[in-house]
Amino acid sequence: METILTIYHAFLGMNLSVLKDPSILWILYIMLFIILLLENGVLPAAFLPGDSLLFLTGVFISEDVFHFGLINLVLIAGAAIGTWLGYIQGLWLGNTKMVQGWLAHLPARYHDKAKILFHKYGLQALFIGRFIAFVRTLLPIMAGLSGLHSKRFHIFNWISATLWIFFITGLGYLFGLSPLFKAYKEQFMLILMLIPVILIGIGIVASLILVIKRAINKKKKSANLSKKASSNE
């Protein structure tokens, strides 16, 4: 707990020297791995800010907080393993109430985007879907539900994860080296660190609203059914 608080205060104070400490650094690697794994593979965690964290990671690479090769390997592994877990959910648990409930909680527009991409491009949709929040969590589940061959899925999964990670972190890295960033470093770092926190807050609130709405709708449906039953009697 003390280490987490140290990381939190280091982020707030933009104290990069603390983040570079080896005892802190390995925890950051683990945290990023877990966040990407959950965001790519578990529907209730689809609101986690994968893209913004990758961009921030790229900036940290330019500031010598992370080693370029090692952090990218960690991130690729987290994204690819998370996507594989999503595929397994669709393949083995797609018809269970738990997974169907998760699917029902996501707004319809994300379902529509994922269906259009998947039916039009098949597994190639993973390359496009990686860059669309929520859709990248839905697509592997749909691949599992369709019963697609696992070997082909793994190939597309790891290649798309690698391209996504390198592209977003690369953009962050180049931005961190730019004269514009150097001129307004403190302001940009504050914005980049706040964006993931704000997105997580919005995601949690939106998820709670959806859960509450579904609970209210269920109560209304059950009340209507009971009224119909009593009137028939």
Side-chain angles (χ1 to χ4, degrees):
M1 186 64 185
E2 185 179 343
T3 307
I4 300 298
L5 287 174
T6 302
I7 293 171
Y8 173 74
H9 290 303
F11 266 92
L12 286 181
M14 290 178 287
N15 193 339
L16 298 182
S17 60
V18 172
L19 298 177
K20 291 178 184 179
D21 187 320
S23 62
I24 299 294
L25 200 56
W26 71 270
I27 295 175
L28 289 176
Y29 279 97
I30 292 172
M31 287 173 65
L32 286 170
F33 174 85
I34 292 171
I35 288 170
L36 280 195
L37 184 146
L38 292 174
E39 195 249 2
N40 280 268
V42 182
L43 277 174
F47 64 85
L48 291 173
D51 292 317
S52 58
L53 280 177
L54 291 180
F55 191 86
L56 178 59
T57 299
V59 174
F60 278 164
I61 293 170
S62 71
E63 292 292 316
D64 295 322
V65 175
F66 295 125
H67 182 275
F68 184 86
L70 180 58
I71 189 60
N72 276 286
L73 285 175
V74 170
L75 296 173
I76 290 166
I81 293 170
T83 301
W84 174 75
L85 288 176
Y87 171 77
I88 291 298
Q89 288 171 50
L91 193 64
W92 294 347
L93 306 172
N95 295 320
T96 61
K97 287 185 179 180
M98 179 182 70
V99 173
Q100 290 298 321
W102 290 351
L103 289 168
H105 283 313
L106 286 181
R109 64 181 181 275
Y110 296 118
H111 286 269
D112 295 338
K113 282 182 181 179
K115 284 179 182 177
I116 291 168
L117 282 172
F118 185 70
H119 289 298
K120 190 173 182 180
Y121 300 106
L123 281 176
Q124 294 175 27
L126 287 175
F127 292 97
I128 305 168
R130 286 284 185 189
F131 296 88
I132 307 173
F134 293 99
V135 173
R136 62 174 161 263
T137 316
L138 270 170
L139 279 173
I141 294 176
M142 292 180 66
L145 284 167
S146 70
L148 282 172
H149 199 281
S150 61
K151 286 184 179 179
R152 288 189 68 233
F153 174 81
H154 285 309
I155 293 169
F156 281 90
N157 176 24
W158 283 91
I159 294 174
S160 64
T162 301
L163 291 175
W164 177 53
I165 299 297
F166 272 113
F167 183 77
I168 305 296
T169 57
L171 286 178
Y173 176 75
L174 292 174
F175 179 70
L177 295 177
S178 68
L180 180 65
F181 176 79
K182 299 295 183 185
Y184 301 98
K185 182 177 176 178
E186 289 188 5
Q187 292 89 336
F188 277 124
M189 286 299 293
L190 179 62
I191 293 168
L192 290 172
M193 289 180 176
L194 281 175
I195 287 173
V197 176
I198 292 169
L199 290 175
I200 288 172
I202 292 171
I204 291 171
V205 171
S207 298
L208 288 173
I209 290 170
L210 283 172
V211 170
I212 292 168
K213 280 185 177 179
R214 282 184 61 80
I216 292 170
N217 289 334
K218 280 184 179 179
K219 283 184 179 180
K220 285 181 178 178
K221 284 181 181 179
S222 60
N224 290 333
L225 287 172
S226 61
K227 282 181 182 178
K228 285 181 181 179
S230 59
S231 62
N232 289 335
E233 289 175 0

